[in-house]
Amino acid sequence: MRAVIAEDSVLLRVGLVKVLEAVGYEVVAAVGDAEALLAAVEEHAPDVVVTDVRMPPGLTDEGVRAALMIRRQWPEVAVLLLSQYVEERYAADLLAGNTSGVGYLLKERVANVDEFVEALQRVAEGGTALDPEVVAQLLIRRHSDPLERLTPRERDVLALMAQGHSNTAIAGALIISDSAVAKHINSIFTKLDLPPADATHRRVLAVLRFLEVE
Protein backbone atom coordinates (compact mmCIF):
# COMPACT_ATOMS: atom_id res chain seq x y z
CA MET A 1 0.00 0.00 0.00
CA ARG A 2 1.26 3.47 -0.97
CA ALA A 3 0.40 6.28 1.46
CA VAL A 4 0.57 10.07 1.61
CA ILE A 5 0.58 11.77 5.03
CA ALA A 6 -0.46 15.39 5.59
CA GLU A 7 0.13 16.76 9.10
CA ASP A 8 1.50 20.20 10.07
CA SER A 9 2.97 18.94 13.36
CA VAL A 10 6.44 17.70 12.43
CA LEU A 11 6.59 15.40 15.45
CA LEU A 12 3.28 13.68 14.66
CA ARG A 13 4.10 13.55 10.95
CA VAL A 14 7.37 11.75 11.60
CA GLY A 15 5.61 9.42 14.02
CA LEU A 16 2.94 8.54 11.46
CA VAL A 17 5.59 7.82 8.84
CA LYS A 18 7.38 5.44 11.20
CA VAL A 19 4.17 3.66 12.20
CA LEU A 20 3.02 3.16 8.62
CA GLU A 21 6.40 2.01 7.39
CA ALA A 22 6.71 -0.41 10.31
CA VAL A 23 3.54 -2.22 9.22
CA GLY A 24 4.46 -2.38 5.54
CA TYR A 25 3.12 0.82 3.95
CA GLU A 26 5.26 2.74 1.48
CA VAL A 27 5.02 6.41 2.47
CA VAL A 28 5.55 8.19 -0.84
CA ALA A 29 5.11 11.71 0.59
CA ALA A 30 4.76 13.38 3.99
CA VAL A 31 3.70 17.04 3.79
CA GLY A 32 2.64 19.87 6.06
CA ASP A 33 -0.19 21.70 4.28
CA ALA A 34 -3.26 21.07 2.14
CA GLU A 35 -1.79 22.45 -1.09
CA ALA A 36 1.19 20.11 -0.83
CA LEU A 37 -1.20 17.24 -0.06
CA LEU A 38 -3.14 17.72 -3.30
CA ALA A 39 0.09 18.00 -5.27
CA ALA A 40 1.43 14.79 -3.69
CA VAL A 41 -1.75 12.86 -4.49
CA GLU A 42 -1.65 14.02 -8.10
CA GLU A 43 2.02 13.09 -8.43
CA HIS A 44 2.12 9.77 -6.58
CA ALA A 45 -1.42 8.32 -6.96
CA PRO A 46 -1.37 6.71 -3.48
CA ASP A 47 -3.73 4.03 -2.22
CA VAL A 48 -4.53 5.93 0.97
CA VAL A 49 -4.19 9.43 2.41
CA VAL A 50 -3.91 10.24 6.13
CA THR A 51 -4.57 13.93 6.76
CA ASP A 52 -5.20 16.31 9.61
CA VAL A 53 -8.52 18.20 9.60
CA ARG A 54 -6.96 21.59 10.35
CA MET A 55 -4.03 22.55 8.12
CA PRO A 56 -2.04 25.69 7.26
CA PRO A 57 -2.44 28.43 6.30
CA GLY A 58 -5.75 29.03 8.10
CA LEU A 59 -5.74 26.05 10.48
CA THR A 60 -9.50 25.67 10.04
CA ASP A 61 -10.91 23.12 7.60
CA GLU A 62 -8.19 23.02 4.92
CA GLY A 63 -7.55 19.32 5.45
CA VAL A 64 -11.25 18.45 5.13
CA ARG A 65 -11.63 20.50 1.94
CA ALA A 66 -8.54 18.81 0.48
CA ALA A 67 -9.96 15.41 1.44
CA LEU A 68 -13.27 16.18 -0.26
CA MET A 69 -11.43 17.30 -3.39
CA ILE A 70 -9.42 14.07 -3.38
CA ARG A 71 -12.64 12.07 -3.07
CA ARG A 72 -14.08 13.91 -6.09
CA GLN A 73 -11.01 13.87 -8.34
CA TRP A 74 -9.42 10.59 -7.28
CA PRO A 75 -12.29 8.45 -5.88
CA GLU A 76 -10.08 5.36 -5.83
CA VAL A 77 -7.88 6.96 -3.12
CA ALA A 78 -8.96 6.08 0.43
CA VAL A 79 -8.93 8.96 2.95
CA LEU A 80 -8.50 8.86 6.73
CA LEU A 81 -9.04 12.17 8.54
CA LEU A 82 -7.43 12.86 11.92
CA SER A 83 -8.83 15.48 14.30
CA GLN A 84 -7.91 16.83 17.71
CA TYR A 85 -11.57 17.16 18.70
CA VAL A 86 -14.92 15.65 17.73
CA GLU A 87 -16.28 17.72 14.83
CA GLU A 88 -19.39 15.93 13.62
CA ARG A 89 -19.99 18.05 10.53
CA TYR A 90 -16.64 17.06 9.07
CA ALA A 91 -17.46 13.38 9.43
CA ALA A 92 -20.85 14.03 7.81
CA ASP A 93 -19.26 16.00 4.94
CA LEU A 94 -16.81 13.20 4.26
CA LEU A 95 -19.53 10.55 4.27
CA ALA A 96 -22.07 12.53 2.26
CA GLY A 97 -20.83 11.03 -1.01
CA ASN A 98 -19.16 7.69 -1.56
CA THR A 99 -18.81 5.95 1.82
CA SER A 100 -16.23 3.45 0.58
CA GLY A 101 -12.69 3.98 1.81
CA VAL A 102 -13.26 6.81 4.30
CA GLY A 103 -12.41 7.27 7.95
CA TYR A 104 -12.49 9.87 10.73
CA LEU A 105 -10.49 9.32 13.92
CA LEU A 106 -9.43 11.41 16.88
CA LYS A 107 -5.68 11.92 17.10
CA GLU A 108 -5.60 10.26 20.51
CA ARG A 109 -6.48 7.03 18.67
CA VAL A 110 -3.03 7.13 17.01
CA ALA A 111 -1.47 6.49 20.42
CA ASN A 112 -2.98 3.00 20.31
CA VAL A 113 -0.94 1.79 17.36
CA ASP A 114 -2.79 -1.50 16.87
CA GLU A 115 -6.19 0.22 16.89
CA PHE A 116 -4.99 2.93 14.51
CA VAL A 117 -3.39 0.47 12.08
CA GLU A 118 -6.52 -1.72 12.08
CA ALA A 119 -8.71 1.30 11.26
CA LEU A 120 -6.32 2.49 8.56
CA GLN A 121 -6.19 -0.95 6.97
CA ARG A 122 -9.99 -1.13 6.96
CA VAL A 123 -10.21 2.24 5.19
CA ALA A 124 -7.43 1.36 2.74
CA GLU A 125 -9.30 -1.81 1.79
CA GLY A 126 -12.47 0.15 1.01
CA GLY A 127 -14.21 0.06 4.37
CA THR A 128 -15.23 2.77 6.84
CA ALA A 129 -13.72 3.73 10.19
CA LEU A 130 -15.46 6.23 12.46
CA ASP A 131 -14.14 7.18 15.87
CA PRO A 132 -16.37 5.83 18.66
CA GLU A 133 -16.53 9.32 20.19
CA VAL A 134 -17.95 10.74 16.95
CA VAL A 135 -20.53 7.97 16.78
CA ALA A 136 -21.44 8.49 20.44
CA GLN A 137 -22.09 12.20 19.94
CA LEU A 138 -24.17 11.54 16.84
CA LEU A 139 -26.17 8.95 18.78
CA ILE A 140 -26.85 11.39 21.61
CA ARG A 141 -27.96 14.03 19.11
CA ARG A 142 -30.45 11.75 17.34
CA HIS A 143 -34.04 11.98 18.53
CA SER A 144 -36.13 11.53 15.38
CA ASP A 145 -37.84 8.59 13.74
CA PRO A 146 -37.21 6.03 12.45
CA LEU A 147 -34.24 5.42 14.77
CA GLU A 148 -36.55 5.70 17.78
CA ARG A 149 -38.02 2.36 16.71
CA LEU A 150 -34.74 0.59 17.47
CA THR A 151 -34.15 -1.27 20.73
CA PRO A 152 -31.09 -0.31 22.84
CA ARG A 153 -29.27 -3.43 21.59
CA GLU A 154 -30.09 -2.59 17.96
CA ARG A 155 -28.77 0.93 18.51
CA ASP A 156 -25.55 -0.57 19.92
CA VAL A 157 -25.23 -2.75 16.82
CA LEU A 158 -25.89 0.19 14.48
CA ALA A 159 -23.36 2.36 16.31
CA LEU A 160 -20.70 -0.32 15.82
CA MET A 161 -21.74 -0.69 12.16
CA ALA A 162 -21.22 3.07 11.79
CA GLN A 163 -17.69 2.68 13.15
CA GLY A 164 -17.04 0.23 10.32
CA HIS A 165 -16.95 -3.04 12.27
CA SER A 166 -17.79 -6.40 10.68
CA ASN A 167 -20.49 -8.70 12.08
CA THR A 168 -17.84 -10.82 13.78
CA ALA A 169 -16.24 -7.77 15.40
CA ILE A 170 -19.66 -6.55 16.57
CA ALA A 171 -20.38 -9.95 18.07
CA GLY A 172 -17.08 -9.85 19.95
CA ALA A 173 -17.65 -6.31 21.24
CA LEU A 174 -21.18 -7.04 22.48
CA ILE A 175 -20.40 -10.62 23.59
CA ILE A 176 -23.18 -12.15 21.49
CA SER A 177 -23.22 -14.70 18.68
CA ASP A 178 -22.73 -13.90 14.99
CA SER A 179 -26.27 -15.15 14.33
CA ALA A 180 -27.65 -12.74 16.95
CA VAL A 181 -25.83 -9.88 15.24
CA ALA A 182 -27.31 -10.90 11.88
CA LYS A 183 -30.81 -10.94 13.40
CA HIS A 184 -30.32 -7.50 14.93
CA ILE A 185 -29.09 -6.12 11.61
CA ASN A 186 -32.06 -7.57 9.72
CA SER A 187 -34.36 -6.01 12.29
CA ILE A 188 -32.58 -2.67 11.87
CA PHE A 189 -33.10 -2.85 8.10
CA THR A 190 -36.80 -3.53 8.61
CA LYS A 191 -37.32 -0.76 11.16
CA LEU A 192 -35.43 1.77 9.01
CA ASP A 193 -37.68 0.88 6.04
CA LEU A 194 -34.77 -0.34 3.93
CA PRO A 195 -36.15 -2.72 1.27
CA PRO A 196 -34.43 -6.03 0.48
CA ALA A 197 -31.43 -5.37 -1.75
CA ASP A 198 -27.72 -5.97 -1.80
CA ALA A 199 -26.71 -6.55 1.84
CA THR A 200 -23.68 -4.24 1.67
CA HIS A 201 -25.80 -1.48 0.10
CA ARG A 202 -28.42 -1.72 2.84
CA ARG A 203 -25.68 -1.66 5.46
CA VAL A 204 -24.37 1.61 4.04
CA LEU A 205 -27.88 3.08 3.87
CA ALA A 206 -28.49 2.17 7.52
CA VAL A 207 -25.29 3.92 8.57
CA LEU A 208 -26.15 6.96 6.46
CA ARG A 209 -29.57 7.13 8.10
CA PHE A 210 -27.81 7.00 11.46
CA LEU A 211 -25.45 9.81 10.47
CA GLU A 212 -28.15 11.96 8.86
CA VAL A 213 -26.12 12.39 5.68
CA GLU A 214 -28.50 10.94 3.09
Side-chain angles (χ1 to χ4, degrees), residues 139-187:
L139 186 59
I140 291 170
R141 190 186 66 191
R142 285 299 310 228
H143 296 291
S144 60
D145 284 337
L147 289 183
E148 287 183 350
R149 306 173 193 167
L150 303 184
T151 66
R153 177 61 83 188
E154 288 166 352
R155 293 172 75 89
D156 290 341
V157 170
L158 183 53
L160 289 167
M161 286 169 60
Q163 292 173 32
H165 293 295
S166 66
N167 285 16
T168 300
I170 293 171
L174 299 179
I175 317 177
I176 58 178
S177 67
D178 285 1
S179 62
V181 172
K183 289 179 181 178
H184 286 310
I185 291 175
N186 285 333
S187 178

Side-chain angles (χ1 to χ4, degrees), residues 79-101:
V79 175
L80 176 60
L81 278 176
L82 299 178
S83 179
Q84 191 71 38
Y85 310 103
V86 175
E87 298 176 274
E88 300 164 15
R89 64 189 179 92
Y90 293 149
D93 287 345
L94 191 64
L95 289 163
N98 182 4
T99 60
S100 174

Side-chain angles (χ1 to χ4, degrees), residues 39-118:
V41 171
E42 183 173 18
E43 178 181 356
H44 298 288
D47 299 294
V48 63
V49 164
V50 180
T51 179
D52 191 2
V53 164
R54 300 176 182 272
M55 300 275 284
L59 294 176
T60 55
D61 63 351
E62 288 84 355
V64 175
R65 287 190 280 112
L68 292 173
M69 187 174 296
I70 291 168
R71 297 295 290 168
R72 287 194 299 269
Q73 295 190 13
W74 301 282
E76 71 281 1
V77 178
V79 175
L80 176 60
L81 278 176
L82 299 178
S83 179
Q84 191 71 38
Y85 310 103
V86 175
E87 298 176 274
E88 300 164 15
R89 64 189 179 92
Y90 293 149
D93 287 345
L94 191 64
L95 289 163
N98 182 4
T99 60
S100 174
V102 295
Y104 184 103
L105 296 180
L106 294 182
K107 286 186 176 180
E108 66 186 45
R109 212 64 60 187
V110 181
N112 186 325
V113 174
D114 290 340
E115 187 175 347
F116 170 69
V117 169
E118 191 274 334

Side-chain angles (χ1 to χ4, degrees), residues 13-48:
R13 186 165 71 238
V14 171
L16 286 169
V17 170
K18 290 186 177 297
V19 167
L20 265 63
E21 289 181 340
V23 295
Y25 283 83
E26 178 187 359
V27 179
V28 294
V31 301
D33 61 72
E35 184 176 346
L37 167 60
L38 293 173
V41 171
E42 183 173 18
E43 178 181 356
H44 298 288
D47 299 294
V48 63

